Amino acid sequence: MGRYVIRRLLQALLTLFITLFLLHYLTALSVQIRGNPALLFFGGERTPDPAMLAQVERLYGLDNACYDRPGDPCLVPFVERLQKYASGDFGTTLQDNRDVGELLTIYIPNTLRLFIFSTITLVVLAMLLGTWAARHRGKLVDHSVRGTTILIDSVPVFLILLAYVYMMAVPLTNWARGIWGTESFMGQLFRPNYNPDYPWTTIIVPGIIVGTVGLATLTRLVRASQLENIGSDFVRTARAKGLKKARITVVHVVRNSMIPIVTGVGYTFAYALSGAVLTEGIMGIPGMGRMIFQAVQRQETNLVIVGLTVTAVVVILVTLLVDLLYAALDPRIRYD
Amino acid sequence: MTELTAPKAEPDAPQASLWKDAFRTMARRPDVIFATLIMLFVFAMAAFPGLFTDKDPARCIGRDARLRPDTWFTGEHPLGTDGFGCDFAATIVHGTRPTITLALTVIIMSVLIGMTLGILAGYFGRWVDALISRALDVFIVIPLIMGAILLLSLFRGRGSSGNLIETVGPAALALTLFGWMEFCRYARAATIETKNLDYVIAARCLGAKDRRIMFKHVLPNAVVPITAIVPTSLGSVIVAESALAVLGIGVQPPATSWGVLLSNGTQWAGGGYIYLFGIPLVLLILTVFAFATFGDALRDALDPKLR
Amino acid sequence: MAETLRVVGDTLPGADMNAPLLEVEDLRVEFRVRRKRIAAVRGASFTLEQGKTLAVVGESGSGKSVTSQAVMGILDTPPGYITGGEIRLHGVDLLKQNEETKRTVRGNHIAIVFQDALSALNPLWSVGFQIGELFRVHRGTSRADARKRAIELLDQVGIPDAKNRVGHYPHQFSGGMRQRVMIAMALALDPEVLIADEPTTALDVTVQAQIMRLLKQIQDERNMGLILITHDLGVVADVADEVAVMYAGEVVEQASIHDAFKRPAHPYTKALLRAIPRVDTVGRELEVIPGLPPNPAALPGGCPFHPRCWAADPEKCSTQEPPNEEVADDHRALCHFAKEVYRDER
């Protein structure tokens, strides 16, 4: 087991490194091709004093000559940046000169909260619906579960969000406030936008909505893996042992179905991150997704890299966790 | 006395009957038939827009703007006009081709890249596999839309002359670059499984060249799980494009896509012109749903374990 | 053994200790697939006495596994349905009991060992857990005690270093060892009937012999009734007391092992025995039974064996179903010409 863990850890680190380098290379390329974002500092219109320009460039680590040569991988700035990250220095934004590290402490928890709710929603719904469909295979329940989940997945998530925000949020909020008052849990639950005074409450509904992304796939996975296990030989043995149906379902069927499900959840995690960008934008949640998006728009190179780095680290961590969980669940993997 | 004769060997029977059986199973289901009709309708609209409308979507008369489709499917403007006075039905119809072209391009390229890499990785193993698997990991780590955003905004700012390649190309490239991974995984898994089958080992013992084995034995097996997810993936690409459109980096003007129509339509949704939003929305959902239903049925029909 | 009496009496009210241990009478099982009904078992009957071994012999598709599953009550329903007959344990018809009673009988009084131990054991739980499960569910034993009992059982079936191996997983055992684990699991609650469904088919020959010896030893020690399901006549000869030959869903011959081998009364049995390759038949061609086993969905009329039978009368055997003739004490055969075949006159 130990060897497996170490091997996966090393792989994760390698992947992280390559990803960071790729990101760096892409952004370096964009600076080289599209011009120096430091110019933005001066409003873009006027031709700045070369000395001042040089100073700004130095400030943002853009002064290396490699940025003038398209295609140069800019290794020195890469290493420098890694060193700065390791020591917790994430630099400042070009506009407003805000400390990125501080921004991260606000943005990361918000996005994390969004993810927690969306993952919980996704897993719970998929397990319930998938199990239900598997038990009543071939009947109406099975078909309706499939049809409904496919339908939900067919609607782009940002539309569901828009529909919610523009059509349901306000009436629901008013209704809730009428009964429970503005400052109550229910009063804040249905808000069409994020309220920093109630960070957990106002993330619940967007989290649930984002959780529906990938529902059809995961439900299908749950159903298929349960069906496979229900018909398997060891379940037949369990019945031959005279075990109660409930015990067979929990100890043998569900437990054996967990593995593909865990892998499925891990895989949809990366996909859910994409949904975060739009969700945060529409619901006004100050999180990583929105930060990256705005950074791209405003050509905040540094912010983009930091944002995507954090994302990459999170995804790689989750993948690693999933793999370790996989080994914990399936003893056959451990003795690889 | 049929029991007394030995059963005849049937060459190639397993593969041929897999597809035939699959289609026969699917043809029985009413929802699949319905989905297929919708798909054919949409493809026809993309290929032959002239069949569906005789209006020119570029001919926009300002003062005719925002006419509601009170005369449904008849009259001067079957579905009304949009914010600039362009015939809405024509806009939608002409917006179908870029959408479908984008989806097809992305899928075809993703499948080609993914399947090739997957088969190579699974077949040759060792450092080839290590290399490709690392690449897989890295690309998976960067989520689709984020990667597309990054790529497209980094290299934004090139005007387009309106031909298909330049309007659809960037979005297609971005979506392909971050969409090939799933196909690669399936192909790789199928290749590894097939590689160890007895008849493949036998073929190698008989001196068959690698290329021949890959084409004749591995490829047909790898194609099956990939085909199973192609229709659903087509739908996801359409949905992804609409998300990109909202961010302004989908299909570029002067071409439109359903995503662009949708994102434009959101402005008008609340103001009583809901048809500008609703009609493209219904069309998109219906099409994606059709693809997904078809794909789901196809997956079930091809899965030996569920038969 | 006094324990056994008590336990059965608790679970099955009305259990008659003087009745034969297990009686299967006219069992009928059909499979319903896509509106077709296929009869897999068409009136099988046999009796198992305490302390005896009954071998159920037949080709693939003869219905022997389905019969054992039906006796255990683990038939996959749908698509399988028991449509007739009785299965009597100590005189009590199990088919008439409620679900809860049937469940307590399984594992407790009747246990089964399957052919492929690797797929029959849950790969994710240790063998100790899977054996201990029986104690914890049926007897309310604590986890620690269940583990102790599991170690004892593993020891009894000949698994070395049982104390450490109890925490191992199925894939960590060799084929023969895994089969022993399955046997240990089946024996856990001291059942009166043990059904072994092709227990040695997946093993190599030397291991086969060991497993068969183990089964015989256990049966002797516990005075269990053992039903051995197999297609391998060689295995049968050593171990069985009685044999029931199945063909096309019916028991075509039931006799003591000695009688069946020496004086078979059914053409199929005779042909099976003739088909066994023998070391002393040098230079002659191997005997085969021409043709293939019948498709259960399309059985020949009359006697299902008649297309392959040398002793068949073309008219009688293709139109009339054969009677269950008693050719000697405790020796029956399902054939129009049973007596003639018995006396070697046909």
Side-chain angles (χ1 to χ4, degrees), chain A residues 114-234:
Chain A
L114 189 65
F115 276 173
I116 291 176
F117 283 113
S118 70
T119 312
I120 293 178
T121 313
L122 181 63
V123 171
V124 166
L125 273 180
M127 295 276 327
L128 286 175
L129 290 175
T131 313
W132 199 29
R135 270 183 97 199
H136 301 273
R137 174 202 187 156
K139 301 199 204 112
L140 183 64
V141 166
D142 191 11
H143 288 300
S144 0
V145 163
R146 272 211 272 184
T148 321
T149 50
I150 294 181
L151 185 63
I152 294 178
D153 261 14
S154 306
V155 183
V157 78
F158 71 87
L159 284 177
I160 303 182
L161 284 167
L162 282 174
Y164 175 74
V165 164
Y166 285 118
M167 298 201 292
M168 290 176 37
V170 176
L172 272 174
T173 314
N174 289 335
W175 166 79
R177 284 188 185 173
I179 305 182
W180 287 280
T182 309
E183 297 303 318
S184 65
F185 171 76
M186 288 300 286
Q188 294 291 332
L189 183 63
F190 299 110
R191 279 183 70 117
N193 51 25
Y194 173 74
N195 184 343
D197 296 328
Y198 293 87
W200 285 95
T201 315
T202 48
I203 287 213
I204 294 180
V205 171
I208 293 178
I209 295 180
V210 171
T212 58
V213 172
L215 182 63
T217 320
L218 200 63
T219 308
R220 179 197 174 74
L221 199 62
V222 171
R223 175 182 175 275
S225 102
Q226 293 226 348
L227 280 178
E228 198 182 322
N229 283 312
I230 287 176
S232 64
D233 284 347
F234 57 82

Side-chain angles (χ1 to χ4, degrees), chain C residues 97-128:
Chain C
Q97 306 302 310
N98 63 26
E99 225 10 83
E100 190 57 19
T101 311
K102 283 199 248 191
R103 186 186 67 78
T104 43
V105 166
R106 278 180 239 143
N108 244 323
H109 303 294
I110 310 182
I112 188 166
V113 174
F114 290 109
Q115 172 180 339
D116 182 5
L118 184 58
S119 64
L121 292 168
N122 192 326
L124 304 187
W125 295 105
S126 71
V127 303

